[in-house]
Amino acid sequence: MSSEREVMTWDDLGAGARELAERIHADAYEPDVILAIARGGLLLAGALGYALGVKNTYTMNVEFYTGPDERLPAPIVLPPVPALVDLTEARLLIADDVADTGRTLALVKDFCDGKVAEARTAVLYEKPHSVVACDYVSGKRTVFGRADAPPAHIRDAVAASCAIPAFYHPVRIGRRRYVDGGICSVSNADLLCGRGLDVAVVLNPMTSLAQATGGSPADRFSAVVRAASGRRLGRELRKLREEGTEVLCLQPTEADLAVMGNNLMSSARRIEVLEQAQISTARELRAGRGRLPKLGRTTKRRRVTAAPQRKAA
């Protein structure tokens, strides 16, 4: 868990807006209207309007973030809602300062779809996300979102990471096909090695410290799979701890396994599984307070000298 924060200066804002305008122009996209997501996108929208020669601008206020790493359950559009009338043939550019989960941008884009001819998004900062999939041919893991991975839209990367063999077709990204990264590792905790983390929280439903019960073939097969996955998980967590990273690992308890059953692809018990997981997790955290990672109440923010990641889509 890193305490680093990037601080955007006025120079960063100017340079970022100029670079975005150049990329938008290079893509041959000529917006007729710019929609700013308030409040973070107001300055960017104004700068892009001047750079691209667009005078027609709208604003849309969306509340989602309530503080650093804190947010509402879902983004909410606040009044007044812009009336995008007589814009069915217009090209729209949606501007915001930061793309984190992408849910705010998705909400605004969904709102605009059908009201304009085309809508694209532009942001100054895109917070990194890591999505793990496995190359269908080579069998090697690919961490989409990292510099050494091929470019991929987040929806395609997530689809690939969920493409369980025999259940779903491989997902093509670029010239390669990818499937669920879980066939290499059900936790992928070792991919956190070398990141300089203070704490790693690992949620792993595919392993368990609970004693296996039941004597049916399905029960025995499930126990073998969990045992093999548990051995790999143990090696991965050991690597993290050897680097000095504190690790909190949460796995299903005996009560969880009884509700989950052996068919992890079944959706029939999803509500019961979620309710039991909430109870078990709270109980595990209360029981293990003494061994939980010790984090300070406040952390000093450090200035990051690396250039911010910028993206226009």
Side-chain angles (χ1 to χ4, degrees):
M1 184 178 297
S2 174
S3 61
E4 293 185 352
R5 295 288 188 273
E6 286 196 28
V7 179
M8 184 174 65
T9 66
W10 290 108
D11 289 339
D12 292 333
L13 173 63
R18 185 163 50 252
E19 182 179 325
L20 273 178
E22 292 173 352
R23 294 180 63 178
I24 294 167
H25 179 72
D27 286 341
Y29 188 65
E30 300 179 0
D32 303 298
V33 182
I34 295 179
L35 174 62
I37 299 179
R39 294 168 298 184
L42 291 174
L43 295 176
L44 175 61
L48 289 176
Y50 276 107
L52 298 173
V54 179
K55 292 186 177 181
N56 196 359
T57 58
Y58 287 77
T59 61
M60 189 170 183
N61 196 357
V62 180
E63 184 176 10
F64 191 24
Y65 293 94
T66 58
D69 299 321
E70 297 179 358
R71 60 181 65 90
L72 299 175
I76 301 173
V77 177
L78 301 179
V81 179
L84 302 180
V85 296
D86 299 328
L87 297 176
T88 54
E89 297 182 0
R91 295 180 296 273
L92 179 72
L93 181 67
I94 303 169
D96 202 359
D97 57 344
V98 178
D100 186 355
T101 64
R103 296 175 66 184
T104 297
L105 287 170
L107 175 68
V108 175
K109 193 171 185 303
D110 288 344
F111 171 82
C112 297
D113 285 345
K115 299 181 177 68
V116 296
E118 183 179 2
R120 297 190 187 184
T121 60
V123 298
L124 281 175
Y125 285 71
E126 185 180 29
K127 294 186 179 179
H129 294 81
S130 297
V131 181
V132 183
C134 177
D135 189 293
Y136 187 61
V137 176
S138 69
K140 295 181 179 180
R141 283 183 295 178
T142 299
V143 186
F144 292 106
R146 291 190 178 178
D148 58 349
H153 194 285
I154 184 66
R155 63 169 177 256
D156 298 326
V158 171
S161 73
C162 299
I164 303 174
F167 284 91
Y168 302 104
H169 293 292
V171 175
R172 182 174 293 278
I173 297 177
R175 297 183 177 181
R176 311 291 295 180
R177 291 184 296 168
Y178 298 90
V179 294
D180 184 3
I183 67 174
C184 297
S185 170
V186 296
S187 64
N188 294 301
D190 58 321
L191 296 176
L192 299 176
C193 293
R195 312 290 289 184
L197 302 179
D198 300 316
V199 177
V201 180
V202 180
L203 309 178
N204 204 55
M206 292 292 293
T207 60
S208 178
L209 297 177
Q211 187 68 32
T213 58
S216 69
D219 291 328
R220 291 196 295 270
F221 177 77
S222 178
V224 170
V225 171
R226 288 190 182 278
S229 301
R231 287 191 293 271
R232 165 128 192 177
L233 174 65
R235 292 193 295 268
E236 294 178 353
L237 299 186
R238 190 159 51 248
K239 290 180 181 179
L240 276 172
R241 292 188 174 109
E242 288 173 352
E243 291 187 349
T245 299
E246 293 190 74
V247 178
L248 171 62
C249 182
L250 296 175
Q251 306 173 70
T253 65
E254 184 175 353
D256 293 310
L257 295 179
V259 177
M260 293 167 66
N262 293 320
N263 183 8
L264 299 182
M265 294 298 294
S266 173
S267 61
R269 299 181 298 274
R270 62 184 183 277
I271 302 300
E272 291 84 352
V273 170
L274 287 172
E275 291 174 345
Q276 178 58 47
Q278 289 179 325
I279 296 172
S280 300
T281 300
R283 185 179 296 136
E284 287 290 304
L285 293 176
R286 283 195 298 268
R289 281 178 178 174
R291 54 184 172 82
L292 293 179
K294 301 298 188 296
L295 296 177
R297 291 184 178 273
T298 59
T299 54
K300 182 179 180 181
R301 292 189 175 188
R302 292 176 289 173
R303 178 70 180 274
V304 178
T305 57
Q309 182 177 3
R310 305 182 179 101
K311 181 177 179 181

